[in-house]
Amino acid sequence: MEVIPKRECQWRDRSNCGMWWLMVMCLLSLELQGAPVPDVAGVAPLKRIGDILRLGHEPGYEGREVQVSGVITYCEPNWRTAFIQDETGGIYFFADSQVLVTQGAAVGRHMSLKGKLGRGRLRPIILGTGDNHLVIELVSSGLAPLPTPRRLSSTNLSDFNANSQWVEVAGNVGSVKLIDDRAVLELSVGGTNLEVTIPGYTRIDMLPKHLMALDVVVRGVMGASWDSGGKFLAPQLLSPSVGFVEVQSQALTTMFDLPLKGANDVNQGSAEGLKIRLRGTVVANLPELGFFLLDSTGTVWIESTQKLYLERGDEVDVVGLGGWISGKSALRDGYARKTGKRDQASPRFVDLGNLSTDPLKHGEWVTVEAHLTDTLRGKDDSLLRFMEGSHAFAVHIRSRGDGVEVLPQWQTGSRIKLEGVVVKGDWAPSPEFRLPGAWGLMVHSSSQLSLIRPPAWWTTERLSVITVALLTGTVVAGACVIFLRRQVRLQSETIAEQRARVALSEERGRISRELHDSLEQYLTGLSIQLEAVAAKLGDSSGDVRRMLDVAQQMVRHGHDDARAAIWELRAKALERGGLIQALEELIPIAAIGSPTKIHIEVPSAPIELSAEVEHHLLRITQEAVTNSIKHAGASCIWVGLTLNKSELQLCIKDDGKGFSELGSKTIDQPSFGLVGMRERAIKLS
């Protein structure tokens, strides 16, 4: 087996093959002639491929219209390589990769082409018309039968008439190589070597190495290889897939006549480099990569790219070469055939908690139990992670060729029973199947996994969600409590303020009633008695009369003061609308009967003040306005109330002559108004 890089490929004695794999598209290297294209207008389009091929190298057919239909015999969109064949022959057509893909061009599809002819190296080819792409249409759905292949031998491999035709060739596979994205089989045909290219291979471990040294029959489209100068080198066969390579029955009979060996012979390394035959039961399979085979001596990995879809429990015969993969013994380049189905013995149960005393061995068929921790689902495969105690491992499940494996929708934390083959973490049949960790399990399918019990309701995820919900609820509840406490405090202050206002109003009403029912009545009675005495005295004069007049005047002043006190206690305006409304209603009353004008400036919006503060401010304003009218002789008084961010300011101004505090009182008659204003102001500070 050999891998040849694109830029360093050499083929036998060819000194300058360069991009020879591109030349495998025998007619893709067009090298259209430089002669002007003849006028083919008005010529009926060609509809049979045989008629096109008979044009050969005659001049004048380039640009001629064609409308053909047939079966696609080869299609490789990446390299824009495709062939179509009808009952009269086959031909290469050049089409854009995207057009091939979108129109569903594939081997076995019945399609029609509409384009023009171009000149290839050997025969005509079909191109698009002008700057347009080749028109490709699907004639019928489903797959059509491929043409009957023309049988070639060593004597007619170079027959140019076979070029682009569907053929079959028998020979022996000498080697399998990887060149770019193709597998290249060297086929010995009666002493002549023929290269067979098969597309779709990107890694060396994917090559169909099981075909080496076997007699096979290969079907495909005959082409040719050319050197960089355009010189013909050799014929080549383009086979659509390895499915068109059939191992001859006689070769199989000879192969499986080898004596039987055991898996233990391979595992001990005694079969290295030898072709040996094993028989056993499939316990795990990776399609087109290989499978684990179990016999009475043990378990061994069989490397095989054969398109043979095996099921767990299939009994097979397999022939291959003893060797190594990733440092572990294996049977390489295996070719297998099914021989039946058999019941398997039960795998060994391993308690993962006792691995220190009962270690796992690579290739051992076991049953374990563990908790599912993660599921990574891919397009064609899935990786499941498990944990049991301190032991973590993974399981890789791949499509078996009959569709993507359907995994049960198990929840994380479920306890699962698994049956599979132990593989060490440093071993893998292919790089993308290397399992993380020190070891893992290779299982045949998801049917080897079964649910023991679902996870407990109190999973980590649910506990996290509940914890977050509780924390969120606690924070919200705390915020609500703080908000409610603030609202309760504000409401309590409002209620207390209202209660104080009501209590003050009730107390003032009670006192005013007491004054009205007692003191005012006494003064009224005294005034009546004095008036009676005055009536008895008549118009007499003297000291008695003067004293009686003084007494009557004092009673009248006392009565007026008592009424004023009662009026003050019954300040209903404050009770109805607060300080602003009281100022607007009561202050102008003081100027009634005098020429004094009063201007009041207060805020438009209500001011929230306690009842006591409102009462003191109102009485200070009343006293100040009264003094301005009685003592200052003011003609205009200004009352202003302003509220700033941090203070409330009451300002009273007039244009009067003013008065002296000392001149406004005597020893016997102090100025109680000014004293009251001062006391009220002190209470506000």
Side-chain angles (χ1 to χ4, degrees), residues 494-511:
T494 302
I495 293 174
E497 182 68 25
Q498 291 176 349
R499 286 179 176 175
R501 189 186 296 273
V502 171
L504 180 60
S505 177
E506 290 178 351
E507 181 64 17
R508 288 164 59 196
R510 185 188 67 79
I511 294 174

mmCIF file of all heavy atoms in Angstrom, residues 494-511:
data_model
loop_
_atom_site.group_PDB
_atom_site.id
_atom_site.type_symbol
_atom_site.label_atom_id
_atom_site.label_comp_id
_atom_site.label_asym_id
_atom_site.label_seq_id
_atom_site.Cartn_x
_atom_site.Cartn_y
_atom_site.Cartn_z
ATOM 1 N N THR A 494 -48.829 59.774 57.880
ATOM 2 C CA THR A 494 -49.991 60.527 57.387
ATOM 3 C C THR A 494 -51.172 60.406 58.344
ATOM 4 O O THR A 494 -51.863 61.401 58.658
ATOM 5 C CB THR A 494 -50.389 60.014 55.996
ATOM 6 O OG1 THR A 494 -49.279 60.151 55.104
ATOM 7 C CG2 THR A 494 -51.572 60.798 55.448
ATOM 8 N N ILE A 495 -51.409 59.165 58.823
ATOM 9 C CA ILE A 495 -52.523 58.944 59.758
ATOM 10 C C ILE A 495 -52.284 59.708 61.055
ATOM 11 O O ILE A 495 -53.207 60.338 61.618
ATOM 12 C CB ILE A 495 -52.697 57.445 60.025
ATOM 13 C CG1 ILE A 495 -53.168 56.742 58.740
ATOM 14 C CG2 ILE A 495 -53.680 57.207 61.158
ATOM 15 C CD1 ILE A 495 -53.227 55.233 58.857
ATOM 16 N N ALA A 496 -51.005 59.647 61.537
ATOM 17 C CA ALA A 496 -50.698 60.370 62.776
ATOM 18 C C ALA A 496 -50.899 61.862 62.590
ATOM 19 O O ALA A 496 -51.419 62.563 63.480
ATOM 20 C CB ALA A 496 -49.258 60.073 63.200
ATOM 21 N N GLU A 497 -50.489 62.371 61.420
ATOM 22 C CA GLU A 497 -50.675 63.798 61.132
ATOM 23 C C GLU A 497 -52.157 64.152 61.108
ATOM 24 O O GLU A 497 -52.584 65.180 61.657
ATOM 25 C CB GLU A 497 -50.020 64.133 59.797
ATOM 26 C CG GLU A 497 -50.093 65.589 59.411
ATOM 27 C CD GLU A 497 -49.248 66.468 60.307
ATOM 28 O OE1 GLU A 497 -48.267 65.940 60.896
ATOM 29 O OE2 GLU A 497 -49.565 67.658 60.437
ATOM 30 N N GLN A 498 -52.939 63.274 60.463
ATOM 31 C CA GLN A 498 -54.378 63.532 60.402
ATOM 32 C C GLN A 498 -55.006 63.473 61.794
ATOM 33 O O GLN A 498 -55.875 64.284 62.140
ATOM 34 C CB GLN A 498 -55.031 62.521 59.469
ATOM 35 C CG GLN A 498 -54.658 62.705 58.001
ATOM 36 C CD GLN A 498 -55.240 61.622 57.123
ATOM 37 O OE1 GLN A 498 -55.757 60.621 57.617
ATOM 38 N NE2 GLN A 498 -55.148 61.835 55.808
ATOM 39 N N ARG A 499 -54.540 62.508 62.582
ATOM 40 C CA ARG A 499 -55.081 62.401 63.941
ATOM 41 C C ARG A 499 -54.723 63.640 64.757
ATOM 42 O O ARG A 499 -55.545 64.167 65.519
ATOM 43 C CB ARG A 499 -54.538 61.150 64.626
ATOM 44 C CG ARG A 499 -55.166 59.852 64.109
ATOM 45 C CD ARG A 499 -54.557 58.652 64.810
ATOM 46 N NE ARG A 499 -55.202 57.415 64.393
ATOM 47 C CZ ARG A 499 -54.809 56.205 64.784
ATOM 48 N NH1 ARG A 499 -53.767 56.081 65.596
ATOM 49 N NH2 ARG A 499 -55.459 55.135 64.364
ATOM 50 N N ALA A 500 -53.460 64.105 64.608
ATOM 51 C CA ALA A 500 -53.053 65.306 65.350
ATOM 52 C C ALA A 500 -53.868 66.508 64.913
ATOM 53 O O ALA A 500 -54.288 67.341 65.746
ATOM 54 C CB ALA A 500 -51.557 65.566 65.126
ATOM 55 N N ARG A 501 -54.084 66.616 63.591
ATOM 56 C CA ARG A 501 -54.873 67.731 63.085
ATOM 57 C C ARG A 501 -56.307 67.673 63.641
ATOM 58 O O ARG A 501 -56.871 68.685 64.076
ATOM 59 C CB ARG A 501 -54.888 67.696 61.556
ATOM 60 C CG ARG A 501 -55.498 68.939 60.916
ATOM 61 C CD ARG A 501 -55.595 68.730 59.403
ATOM 62 N NE ARG A 501 -54.292 68.588 58.808
ATOM 63 C CZ ARG A 501 -53.543 69.595 58.391
ATOM 64 N NH1 ARG A 501 -53.982 70.841 58.536
ATOM 65 N NH2 ARG A 501 -52.359 69.385 57.840
ATOM 66 N N VAL A 502 -56.894 66.458 63.645
ATOM 67 C CA VAL A 502 -58.264 66.299 64.153
ATOM 68 C C VAL A 502 -58.322 66.583 65.650
ATOM 69 O O VAL A 502 -59.232 67.262 66.159
ATOM 70 C CB VAL A 502 -58.784 64.892 63.829
ATOM 71 C CG1 VAL A 502 -60.125 64.638 64.538
ATOM 72 C CG2 VAL A 502 -58.938 64.716 62.325
ATOM 73 N N ALA A 503 -57.295 66.061 66.380
ATOM 74 C CA ALA A 503 -57.286 66.273 67.834
ATOM 75 C C ALA A 503 -57.152 67.752 68.172
ATOM 76 O O ALA A 503 -57.822 68.276 69.080
ATOM 77 C CB ALA A 503 -56.138 65.467 68.453
ATOM 78 N N LEU A 504 -56.238 68.434 67.405
ATOM 79 C CA LEU A 504 -56.065 69.859 67.646
ATOM 80 C C LEU A 504 -57.346 70.632 67.339
ATOM 81 O O LEU A 504 -57.763 71.523 68.098
ATOM 82 C CB LEU A 504 -54.902 70.388 66.794
ATOM 83 C CG LEU A 504 -54.592 71.878 66.926
ATOM 84 C CD1 LEU A 504 -54.216 72.238 68.362
ATOM 85 C CD2 LEU A 504 -53.467 72.263 65.955
ATOM 86 N N SER A 505 -57.997 70.242 66.241
ATOM 87 C CA SER A 505 -59.235 70.934 65.886
ATOM 88 C C SER A 505 -60.318 70.697 66.923
ATOM 89 O O SER A 505 -61.053 71.620 67.307
ATOM 90 C CB SER A 505 -59.693 70.460 64.503
ATOM 91 O OG SER A 505 -60.923 71.040 64.148
ATOM 92 N N GLU A 506 -60.387 69.444 67.388
ATOM 93 C CA GLU A 506 -61.411 69.139 68.396
ATOM 94 C C GLU A 506 -61.136 69.889 69.698
ATOM 95 O O GLU A 506 -62.060 70.395 70.360
ATOM 96 C CB GLU A 506 -61.458 67.632 68.636
ATOM 97 C CG GLU A 506 -62.019 66.852 67.460
ATOM 98 C CD GLU A 506 -61.998 65.355 67.721
ATOM 99 O OE1 GLU A 506 -61.394 64.946 68.740
ATOM 100 O OE2 GLU A 506 -62.582 64.603 66.900
ATOM 101 N N GLU A 507 -59.844 69.962 70.093
ATOM 102 C CA GLU A 507 -59.508 70.644 71.341
ATOM 103 C C GLU A 507 -59.790 72.135 71.241
ATOM 104 O O GLU A 507 -60.310 72.766 72.180
ATOM 105 C CB GLU A 507 -58.042 70.388 71.679
ATOM 106 C CG GLU A 507 -57.570 71.022 72.978
ATOM 107 C CD GLU A 507 -58.275 70.454 74.205
ATOM 108 O OE1 GLU A 507 -58.887 69.353 74.079
ATOM 109 O OE2 GLU A 507 -58.223 71.083 75.282
ATOM 110 N N ARG A 508 -59.464 72.689 70.094
ATOM 111 C CA ARG A 508 -59.750 74.110 69.905
ATOM 112 C C ARG A 508 -61.252 74.368 69.902
ATOM 113 O O ARG A 508 -61.745 75.371 70.453
ATOM 114 C CB ARG A 508 -59.140 74.588 68.591
ATOM 115 C CG ARG A 508 -57.623 74.673 68.648
ATOM 116 C CD ARG A 508 -57.004 74.774 67.272
ATOM 117 N NE ARG A 508 -57.492 75.931 66.583
ATOM 118 C CZ ARG A 508 -57.369 76.119 65.263
ATOM 119 N NH1 ARG A 508 -56.797 75.195 64.535
ATOM 120 N NH2 ARG A 508 -57.825 77.220 64.711
ATOM 121 N N GLY A 509 -62.013 73.490 69.314
ATOM 122 C CA GLY A 509 -63.471 73.646 69.333
ATOM 123 C C GLY A 509 -64.028 73.562 70.747
ATOM 124 O O GLY A 509 -64.936 74.311 71.119
ATOM 125 N N ARG A 510 -63.458 72.602 71.521
ATOM 126 C CA ARG A 510 -63.939 72.467 72.906
ATOM 127 C C ARG A 510 -63.657 73.738 73.714
ATOM 128 O O ARG A 510 -64.523 74.244 74.446
ATOM 129 C CB ARG A 510 -63.258 71.270 73.559
ATOM 130 C CG ARG A 510 -63.771 70.964 74.967
ATOM 131 C CD ARG A 510 -62.930 69.907 75.626
ATOM 132 N NE ARG A 510 -61.587 70.395 75.881
ATOM 133 C CZ ARG A 510 -61.271 71.195 76.912
ATOM 134 N NH1 ARG A 510 -62.201 71.616 77.758
ATOM 135 N NH2 ARG A 510 -60.033 71.601 77.082
ATOM 136 N N ILE A 511 -62.414 74.263 73.571
ATOM 137 C CA ILE A 511 -62.059 75.470 74.343
ATOM 138 C C ILE A 511 -62.914 76.653 73.908
ATOM 139 O O ILE A 511 -63.391 77.455 74.731
ATOM 140 C CB ILE A 511 -60.566 75.772 74.168
ATOM 141 C CG1 ILE A 511 -59.722 74.656 74.798
ATOM 142 C CG2 ILE A 511 -60.204 77.125 74.783
ATOM 143 C CD1 ILE A 511 -58.234 74.789 74.552
#
